[in-house]
Amino acid sequence: MMSALIFCEVNVSRLSISARQRLYHYLFDLKTRSGRRFEGLCGLFALLSVIIIFVESGAGTQYHLTFDEWHVFVWLELMVTLVFTGEYLLRLFCWPNPAKYVFSFWGFIDLATILPLYVMWLWPEISLDYVFAWRAMRAIRVLRILKLLRFMPSLRVFWQAIMSARHQLVLFYSFIAIVMIVFGALMYLIEGPKYGFTTLNASVYWAIVTVTTVGYGDITPHTPLGRIVASVLILIGYSVIAIPTGLITTHMSSAFQKRQFERRCPNCQQRGHENSARYCNRCGNELPD
Amino acid sequence: MMSALIFCEVNVSRLSISARQRLYHYLFDLKTRSGRRFEGLCGLFALLSVIIIFVESGAGTQYHLTFDEWHVFVWLELMVTLVFTGEYLLRLFCWPNPAKYVFSFWGFIDLATILPLYVMWLWPEISLDYVFAWRAMRAIRVLRILKLLRFMPSLRVFWQAIMSARHQLVLFYSFIAIVMIVFGALMYLIEGPKYGFTTLNASVYWAIVTVTTVGYGDITPHTPLGRIVASVLILIGYSVIAIPTGLITTHMSSAFQKRQFERRCPNCQQRGHENSARYCNRCGNELPD
Amino acid sequence: MMSALIFCEVNVSRLSISARQRLYHYLFDLKTRSGRRFEGLCGLFALLSVIIIFVESGAGTQYHLTFDEWHVFVWLELMVTLVFTGEYLLRLFCWPNPAKYVFSFWGFIDLATILPLYVMWLWPEISLDYVFAWRAMRAIRVLRILKLLRFMPSLRVFWQAIMSARHQLVLFYSFIAIVMIVFGALMYLIEGPKYGFTTLNASVYWAIVTVTTVGYGDITPHTPLGRIVASVLILIGYSVIAIPTGLITTHMSSAFQKRQFERRCPNCQQRGHENSARYCNRCGNELPD
Amino acid sequence: MMSALIFCEVNVSRLSISARQRLYHYLFDLKTRSGRRFEGLCGLFALLSVIIIFVESGAGTQYHLTFDEWHVFVWLELMVTLVFTGEYLLRLFCWPNPAKYVFSFWGFIDLATILPLYVMWLWPEISLDYVFAWRAMRAIRVLRILKLLRFMPSLRVFWQAIMSARHQLVLFYSFIAIVMIVFGALMYLIEGPKYGFTTLNASVYWAIVTVTTVGYGDITPHTPLGRIVASVLILIGYSVIAIPTGLITTHMSSAFQKRQFERRCPNCQQRGHENSARYCNRCGNELPD
């Protein structure tokens, strides 16, 4: 694989720059129709490959697969890996700045999710011997789902809302963390290791599960005093449950308004376009993202 | 049963059109008082039949019913089936376009919920031998409750709200789905099959149950690292829990306003009637739905 | 006890009306300071008696009480019962219309919560033999806590809000009920009695516990298909969880505004007083409740 | 330790007042840069010491620590205790009014969290013999996390919001408490001790866990009637879950506005500064907290 990469790099330097640019423009530039289509194709393929992994994972536990049935999944995975390897090499080849791509979030995800099969091929003794390694490879392959995040540019607004509310969120979560640690310590003291409050860590985990009203029930108070303390913690959690959402939604609506105000048509300078608008409603010019 | 249907069809062609129209007008037209009464009667009957099924289901497990007691339930079911068969044939006979009714949602529900007893009568060996078939018939009969949806025209506004918020809802649920798959894969890797994280599917199911704060507790993390990852997922879920409701309520209120603005009296053209108004408050004319 | 009641009634007819009126005015009229004090005293006493019952219930299970310790609780209960019997007779005696009091909600509660000890005294064999009767008496005595509702006149606004939102609430809960019954039937069909889905009733109970995000975990899906259906139901519940609260809070705020607008000073006719105001802020006159 | 304290006090009286004042100004006055830095250092140290306790608590249960590994934790704790003892003595020495500090919330926390090691050193038999004492010491040491509350002055606004909403909150929680007690008594009556409803207290604990949608599942109804009553309680809880948060957020936003209006620049008397502002945006003067 290393040699293939070097070979590819050598080839790149020999090709004219314009060919790379044309390929980039054709395949990866989201402003062209073909670029958007290729992007959609890659996304669909990633989704399909994840569905195959889930089917494989479910089938492997429920039924005893015959050797032939396992072969189907191995061949499917081989095909998927080859396609994604091709996509990765194409991106490396076409990108204006390949190093930047390799060390970006997307480059890391694209590389990591094609590695499992190569690792299994190069060091077969790992995947045969260790159950953990087998699980790890399956878990890594599922991360292909992260490629779909490319289709959600609107999440940027959500992220901006979290960023602008970060002071209040940090304050709120710090306070809740202190409450949870204090109540965790109290319950560790009162209940003891008999009913699951074995360590301070387990007690704080219990407090998190309780305050957020998840309530698994794997660790629960059994002494009268413990139940009273737990009830107090539950009522505190009940009273503050909607505060983080309130903070995020308030900041999200102002982030939407801000974006609406700031986005300006590069042609006629008009502001106030809808967030979902892609063309200026006065002069028809394309709007910046 | 097939012959009865054919016979009925033959009869229909012989009758004058006006008789069918009159019957439709009298029984199924919701603009007439008798139509609304018949509709209400059918709804009440559907509700009663569902209550009977629940009593039967509960009694069958709790107590050992004698043969005579079972007979009561069988006779009740027979009566209910006959009444609904009559209603179905009446609708077939009266409807302006019977084919449209048969292939509509209501036609499908009306037909499906009368079939179990006929299937049991025609192929008694199914219902006697297979426990699953018995459960299936009971489950299908309970779908009669769906007939009550006819009484909830206001749900259309709710549906419109979901439709107008669908882009944001799809975006939100896609993002949450990606988060759940990534955390599911992580937990599958960390915890392993010892405490219920047997497959990727089970891990993602755990993530859904956790993010939404349901927290059954059938699958829970037990390793320290797993508990830390679970806590992070819980706090993410805690922060975003009210976002979908916020989206739906916002769009619902604008859907209500839009309907209020758009509904216009056909006589005096006035707009802005209350959503629950049935007559124009200026000229007394009936308003469109 | 019966004879005591008759005796009391006879006495009442002999006394002058004015004495009864004065006593009512002095003890039960909330417009006088002594009336409010007596009311507060009764409330405090009810609260204390409930706390004693909880201590008794907790002590009875945790420790083996000696005969002497039980005697303390019996004597305390005897004292409490005598005091409340006195209060009940006083109310009967003083009330302008005793029959109306007896058949009111408060009369029923006041009577029911003093009966257990008398029943135990008259038919001791009940309380000694049947564990259920013992539990029932304790449970009935705890209903004394309902007497504290007398101190919450503001709940009327809450009640008005629910009443004015009742159409939408009934619609919402009907729709959710239909969803829960349909999903319950589906899960009854898919999962079967192996993991707790024994009857349709249990399945619908599971659906209620799931949609509201309570998630006990006593009944959980175990088949892959069941988990998918459960996930869909969870996500539906997750999306609609805040709708009833939204409805109630909206109507509650308008109920508060309406009350603020409608309450009018009987002296200077000014409107718009604060909801918690007890005196007109223009002329100092007492405001109606 | 007592003698050390006395010695310290004696020293204080000998030193000139100005030295104490200068030290206070330098170390504890948050208006000076060095004061804020020292405060930050203490906070960071408290956080570190709590993390060490969690690592120690987790390590002690998961692995069998060798004697040497335990020694590391003991030495770390010794160091932390000495540092905090030094901080406590410094504060005692520098504070304008030492008695006020000692009996304040912070003085109590600062003292309590350094005591465990000294108790262990003076009465080693306690910590060796009793598991509970060992747990208690660890739990007390974790309270050092409360020192971080010093960095959250904004919580005062939150506290003001709770205070101004206290009438409505008390009313709401009283009503919910009555509902929970009544339903707890009902379930105690219906279900009985077979499935965990052993006492009235346990039943009310179950009601709290249910109404707040935590739903541990350690106590769950199993009889048909019990499940119906539980469903009613769940739906009541489902309808009122967001009311306390609504109350708090409403009052919090008005508390923020009030603070913004009331804070006035001591130099130019301008009002309406941002809540997070530390200097007047008109004249640059420092604003009061």
Side-chain angles (χ1 to χ4, degrees):
Chain A
M1 200 199 142
M2 215 53 214
S3 59
L5 207 69
I6 292 164
F7 180 68
C8 167
E9 286 290 324
V10 171
N11 265 0
V12 168
S13 58
R14 276 192 201 149
L15 272 163
S16 68
I17 292 297
S18 65
R20 284 173 61 193
Q21 278 181 345
R22 244 180 302 140
L23 209 56
Y24 176 80
H25 186 73
Y26 192 72
L27 290 179
F28 299 114
D29 190 349
L30 292 180
K31 284 173 194 154
T32 65
R33 169 174 282 185
S34 60
R36 284 196 296 272
R37 276 193 188 158
F38 188 76
E39 188 82 1
L41 207 76
C42 289
L44 201 74
F45 204 74
L47 192 62
L48 269 175
S49 77
V50 169
I51 290 171
I52 290 169
I53 299 167
F54 275 101
V55 170
E56 175 201 329
S57 174
T61 329
Q62 295 269 316
Y63 318 104
H64 285 282
L65 295 182
T66 61
F67 196 69
D68 282 356
E69 284 164 343
W70 267 121
H71 262 216
V72 173
F73 286 116
V74 172
W75 279 108
L76 277 171
E77 179 56 30
L78 186 63
M79 198 191 68
V80 168
T81 302
L82 285 178
V83 168
F84 280 127
T85 309
E87 189 208 341
Y88 186 70
L89 294 178
L90 257 179
R91 278 180 197 268
L92 265 189
F93 171 69
C94 299
W95 228 251
N97 184 349
K100 204 179 155 193
Y101 167 67
V102 170
F103 294 106
S104 73
F105 174 71
W106 301 119
F108 185 75
I109 291 293
D110 286 351
L111 181 60
T113 55
I114 53 174
L115 282 185
L117 208 73
Y118 293 110
V119 171
M120 231 160 83
W121 177 49
L122 294 174
W123 296 280
E125 65 277 14
I126 289 179
S127 54
L128 290 177
D129 292 5
Y130 301 97
V131 176
F132 180 81
W134 186 256
R135 282 215 314 272
M137 276 165 197
R138 206 177 262 160
I140 288 167
R141 277 154 56 203
V142 163
L143 295 184
R144 277 167 200 156
I145 199 76
L146 285 171
K147 292 187 180 193
L148 295 183
L149 282 177
R150 274 184 181 129
F151 297 89
M152 302 181 186
S154 317
L155 285 177
R156 210 183 301 161
V157 178
F158 187 67
W159 184 248
Q160 283 170 6
I162 289 176
M163 276 298 108
S164 77
R166 67 180 179 281
H167 290 296
Q168 298 175 355
L169 284 175
V170 164
L171 180 73
F172 175 77
Y173 280 115
S174 307
F175 176 67
I176 285 291
I178 291 175
V179 168
M180 290 190 300
I181 287 171
V182 169
F183 272 86
L186 256 174
M187 291 300 280
Y188 173 68
L189 179 59
I190 294 169
E191 287 280 327
K194 203 173 164 192
Y195 296 109
F197 295 84
T198 46
T199 59
L200 275 170
N201 313 30
S203 290
V204 171
Y205 162 75
W206 167 85
I208 293 173
V209 168
T210 298
V211 161
T212 55
T213 76
V214 171
Y216 283 134
D218 50 350
I219 305 173
T220 52
H222 283 76
T223 62
L225 188 59
R227 283 179 171 177
I228 291 169
V229 173
S231 300
V232 172
L233 182 62
I234 287 171
L235 291 174
I236 290 175
Y238 186 61
S239 304
V240 302
I241 193 170
I243 288 178
T245 330
L247 288 173
I248 290 176
T249 38
T250 309
H251 281 86
M252 192 151 53
S253 72
S254 50
F256 268 114
Q257 280 174 12
K258 201 177 156 199
R259 190 177 171 233
Q260 196 169 352
F261 179 74
E262 279 180 355
R263 215 151 66 127
R264 178 195 288 223
C265 172
N267 186 31
C268 68
Q269 310 293 333
Q270 202 195 3
R271 290 164 184 270
H273 299 286
E274 293 279 315
N275 278 303
S276 54
R278 285 178 58 194
Y279 297 98
C280 174
N281 59 1
R282 208 169 86 188
C283 68
N285 207 21
E286 201 174 355
L287 292 170
D289 191 29
Chain B
M1 197 198 145
M2 215 52 214
S3 60
L5 207 69
I6 291 164
F7 180 69
C8 166
E9 286 290 323
V10 171
N11 265 0
V12 167
S13 58
R14 277 191 201 149
L15 272 161
S16 68
I17 292 296
S18 66
R20 285 172 60 191
Q21 278 182 345
R22 244 181 302 137
L23 208 58
Y24 177 81
H25 186 74
Y26 192 71
L27 290 179
F28 299 114
D29 191 348
L30 292 180
K31 284 173 192 153
T32 65
R33 169 173 283 186
S34 60
R36 284 196 296 272
R37 276 193 187 157
F38 187 75
E39 187 81 2
L41 207 76
C42 290
L44 201 72
F45 202 74
L47 193 62
L48 269 174
S49 78
V50 169
I51 290 171
I52 290 169
I53 299 167
F54 275 101
V55 170
E56 175 201 328
S57 173
T61 329
Q62 294 268 317
Y63 319 103
H64 285 280
L65 296 182
T66 61
F67 196 68
D68 282 355
E69 284 164 342
W70 268 121
H71 263 215
V72 174
F73 286 117
V74 171
W75 280 108
L76 276 172
E77 180 56 29
L78 186 62
M79 198 192 69
V80 168
T81 303
L82 286 178
V83 169
F84 280 128
T85 310
E87 189 207 341
Y88 187 70
L89 295 178
L90 258 177
R91 278 180 197 269
L92 265 189
F93 172 71
C94 299
W95 228 250
N97 184 350
K100 206 180 153 191
Y101 166 67
V102 170
F103 294 106
S104 74
F105 174 72
W106 301 119
F108 184 75
I109 292 293
D110 286 351
L111 181 61
T113 56
I114 53 175
L115 281 185
L117 208 71
Y118 293 110
V119 170
M120 232 162 82
W121 178 47
L122 294 173
W123 296 280
E125 66 276 14
I126 287 179
S127 53
L128 290 176
D129 293 5
Y130 300 97
V131 177
F132 181 80
W134 187 257
R135 282 218 311 273
M137 277 165 196
R138 207 177 263 160
I140 289 168
R141 276 153 57 202
V142 164
L143 295 185
R144 278 167 200 156
I145 198 74
L146 285 171
K147 292 187 180 193
L148 295 182
L149 283 177
R150 275 184 181 128
F151 297 89
M152 302 181 185
S154 316
L155 286 176
R156 208 184 302 160
V157 178
F158 188 66
W159 184 248
Q160 282 171 6
I162 289 176
M163 276 298 108
S164 77
R166 67 180 180 282
H167 291 297
Q168 297 175 355
L169 284 175
V170 164
L171 181 72
F172 176 77
Y173 280 114
S174 307
F175 177 66
I176 285 290
I178 290 175
V179 168
M180 290 190 300
I181 287 171
V182 169
F183 272 86
L186 256 175
M187 291 300 280
Y188 173 67
L189 179 58
I190 295 169
E191 287 280 326
K194 202 173 165 193
Y195 295 109
F197 294 85
T198 47
T199 58
L200 276 170
N201 313 29
S203 290
V204 171
Y205 162 74
W206 167 84
I208 293 172
V209 168
T210 299
V211 161
T212 55
T213 78
V214 170
Y216 284 133
D218 50 348
I219 306 173
T220 52
H222 283 76
T223 62
L225 188 57
R227 283 179 172 178
I228 291 170
V229 173
S231 301
V232 171
L233 182 62
I234 288 171
L235 291 174
I236 290 176
Y238 186 62
S239 304
V240 302
I241 192 169
I243 288 179
T245 330
L247 288 173
I248 290 176
T249 40
T250 309
H251 281 87
M252 193 152 52
S253 73
S254 50
F256 268 114
Q257 280 174 12
K258 200 175 157 200
R259 190 178 172 234
Q260 196 168 350
F261 179 74
E262 278 181 356
R263 218 154 63 129
R264 179 195 290 223
C265 172
N267 186 32
C268 68
Q269 311 293 333
Q270 203 196 3
R271 289 165 184 271
H273 300 286
E274 292 280 314
N275 278 303
S276 55
R278 286 177 58 195
Y279 296 97
C280 175
N281 59 1
R282 209 167 85 187
C283 67
N285 206 22
E286 201 174 357
L287 291 170
D289 190 30
Chain C
M1 197 199 146
M2 216 53 214
S3 60
L5 205 71
I6 292 164
F7 180 69
C8 166
E9 286 290 323
V10 171
N11 265 0
V12 167
S13 58
R14 278 193 199 145
L15 273 162
S16 68
I17 292 295
S18 66
R20 285 174 60 193
Q21 277 182 344
R22 243 182 302 138
L23 208 57
Y24 176 80
H25 186 73
Y26 192 70
L27 289 178
F28 299 114
D29 191 349
L30 292 180
K31 284 174 192 153
T32 65
R33 170 174 283 187
S34 61
R36 284 196 296 271
R37 276 194 188 157
F38 187 75
E39 187 82 2
L41 208 75
C42 289
L44 202 73
F45 203 74
L47 193 61
L48 269 174
S49 78
V50 169
I51 291 171
I52 290 169
I53 299 167
F54 274 101
V55 171
E56 176 201 328
S57 174
T61 330
Q62 294 268 316
Y63 318 104
H64 285 281
L65 295 182
T66 62
F67 196 69
D68 283 356
E69 286 164 341
W70 268 120
H71 263 216
V72 174
F73 286 117
V74 171
W75 279 108
L76 277 171
E77 180 55 29
L78 188 60
M79 198 191 69
V80 168
T81 302
L82 286 177
V83 169
F84 281 127
T85 309
E87 189 207 341
Y88 187 69
L89 295 178
L90 257 179
R91 278 180 197 269
L92 265 189
F93 172 69
C94 299
W95 228 251
N97 184 349
K100 204 180 154 193
Y101 167 67
V102 170
F103 294 105
S104 73
F105 174 72
W106 301 119
F108 184 75
I109 292 293
D110 287 350
L111 181 60
T113 56
I114 54 175
L115 282 184
L117 209 72
Y118 294 109
V119 170
M120 234 161 82
W121 177 49
L122 293 173
W123 296 280
E125 66 276 15
I126 288 180
S127 53
L128 290 177
D129 293 4
Y130 299 96
V131 177
F132 181 81
W134 187 256
R135 282 216 313 273
M137 277 166 196
R138 206 177 263 160
I140 288 167
R141 277 153 56 203
V142 163
L143 295 184
R144 279 168 199 156
I145 198 75
L146 285 171
K147 293 188 180 193
L148 295 182
L149 282 177
R150 275 184 180 128
F151 297 89
M152 303 181 186
S154 316
L155 286 177
R156 209 183 303 159
V157 178
F158 187 66
W159 185 250
Q160 283 170 6
I162 289 176
M163 275 298 109
S164 77
R166 68 181 179 282
H167 291 297
Q168 296 175 356
L169 284 174
V170 164
L171 180 73
F172 176 77
Y173 281 115
S174 307
F175 176 67
I176 285 290
I178 291 175
V179 167
M180 290 191 300
I181 288 172
V182 169
F183 273 85
L186 256 174
M187 291 301 279
Y188 173 67
L189 178 60
I190 295 170
E191 287 280 326
K194 203 174 163 191
Y195 295 110
F197 295 84
T198 48
T199 59
L200 275 171
N201 313 29
S203 289
V204 171
Y205 162 75
W206 166 84
I208 294 173
V209 169
T210 297
V211 161
T212 56
T213 77
V214 171
Y216 284 134
D218 50 348
I219 306 173
T220 51
H222 283 76
T223 61
L225 187 58
R227 284 180 170 177
I228 291 170
V229 172
S231 301
V232 172
L233 182 62
I234 288 171
L235 290 174
I236 290 175
Y238 185 62
S239 303
V240 302
I241 192 170
I243 287 178
T245 331
L247 288 172
I248 289 176
T249 39
T250 308
H251 281 87
M252 192 152 53
S253 72
S254 50
F256 268 114
Q257 281 174 12
K258 201 176 155 201
R259 189 176 173 236
Q260 196 168 349
F261 178 74
E262 279 180 356
R263 217 153 63 126
R264 179 194 290 222
C265 172
N267 187 30
C268 69
Q269 310 294 334
Q270 202 195 5
R271 290 165 183 271
H273 299 286
E274 293 279 315
N275 278 304
S276 54
R278 285 177 58 194
Y279 297 98
C280 175
N281 59 1
R282 211 169 82 187
C283 67
N285 207 22
E286 201 173 356
L287 292 169
D289 190 29
Chain D
M1 199 199 144
M2 215 52 214
S3 60
L5 206 69
I6 291 163
F7 180 68
C8 168
E9 286 290 324
V10 171
N11 264 0
V12 167
S13 59
R14 277 193 200 147
L15 272 162
S16 68
I17 293 295
S18 66
R20 284 173 61 194
Q21 277 182 344
R22 243 181 302 138
L23 209 57
Y24 177 80
H25 187 72
Y26 193 70
L27 289 180
F28 300 113
D29 191 349
L30 292 180
K31 284 174 192 153
T32 65
R33 170 174 283 185
S34 60
R36 285 195 296 272
R37 276 194 188 157
F38 187 76
E39 187 82 2
L41 208 75
C42 290
L44 201 72
F45 203 74
L47 193 63
L48 269 174
S49 78
V50 169
I51 291 171
I52 290 169
I53 300 167
F54 274 102
V55 170
E56 175 201 330
S57 173
T61 329
Q62 294 269 317
Y63 318 103
H64 285 281
L65 294 182
T66 61
F67 196 69
D68 282 355
E69 285 164 341
W70 267 121
H71 262 217
V72 174
F73 286 117
V74 172
W75 278 108
L76 276 172
E77 180 55 30
L78 187 62
M79 199 191 67
V80 168
T81 302
L82 286 178
V83 168
F84 280 127
T85 310
E87 188 207 342
Y88 187 69
L89 294 178
L90 258 177
R91 278 180 197 269
L92 265 188
F93 172 70
C94 298
W95 228 251
N97 184 350
K100 204 178 155 193
Y101 167 67
V102 169
F103 294 105
S104 74
F105 174 70
W106 302 118
F108 185 75
I109 291 294
D110 287 350
L111 182 60
T113 55
I114 53 174
L115 282 185
L117 208 72
Y118 293 109
V119 171
M120 232 161 82
W121 177 48
L122 293 175
W123 296 280
E125 66 276 15
I126 288 179
S127 54
L128 290 176
D129 293 5
Y130 300 97
V131 177
F132 180 80
W134 186 255
R135 282 217 311 274
M137 276 165 196
R138 206 176 263 159
I140 289 167
R141 277 153 57 202
V142 163
L143 295 184
R144 277 168 200 156
I145 198 75
L146 285 171
K147 294 188 179 193
L148 295 183
L149 282 177
R150 276 186 179 126
F151 297 89
M152 303 181 185
S154 316
L155 286 177
R156 208 183 303 161
V157 178
F158 188 66
W159 185 248
Q160 283 171 5
I162 289 175
M163 276 298 108
S164 76
R166 67 180 179 282
H167 291 296
Q168 298 175 355
L169 284 175
V170 164
L171 180 74
F172 176 76
Y173 281 115
S174 307
F175 176 67
I176 285 291
I178 291 174
V179 167
M180 290 190 301
I181 288 172
V182 169
F183 273 85
L186 256 175
M187 291 300 280
Y188 173 68
L189 179 59
I190 295 169
E191 287 281 326
K194 202 173 164 192
Y195 296 108
F197 295 85
T198 46
T199 60
L200 274 170
N201 313 29
S203 289
V204 171
Y205 162 75
W206 167 84
I208 293 172
V209 168
T210 299
V211 161
T212 55
T213 77
V214 170
Y216 284 134
D218 50 348
I219 306 172
T220 51
H222 282 76
T223 61
L225 188 58
R227 283 179 171 178
I228 291 169
V229 172
S231 300
V232 171
L233 182 63
I234 288 171
L235 290 175
I236 290 175
Y238 185 61
S239 303
V240 301
I241 192 170
I243 288 178
T245 330
L247 288 173
I248 290 177
T249 39
T250 309
H251 281 87
M252 192 152 51
S253 72
S254 50
F256 267 114
Q257 280 174 11
K258 202 176 155 199
R259 188 176 173 233
Q260 196 169 351
F261 178 75
E262 280 180 355
R263 217 151 65 127
R264 179 195 288 221
C265 172
N267 186 31
C268 69
Q269 310 294 333
Q270 202 194 5
R271 289 163 184 273
H273 299 285
E274 293 280 315
N275 278 304
S276 55
R278 287 177 56 195
Y279 296 98
C280 174
N281 59 1
R282 210 170 84 187
C283 67
N285 206 22
E286 201 173 356
L287 292 170
D289 191 29

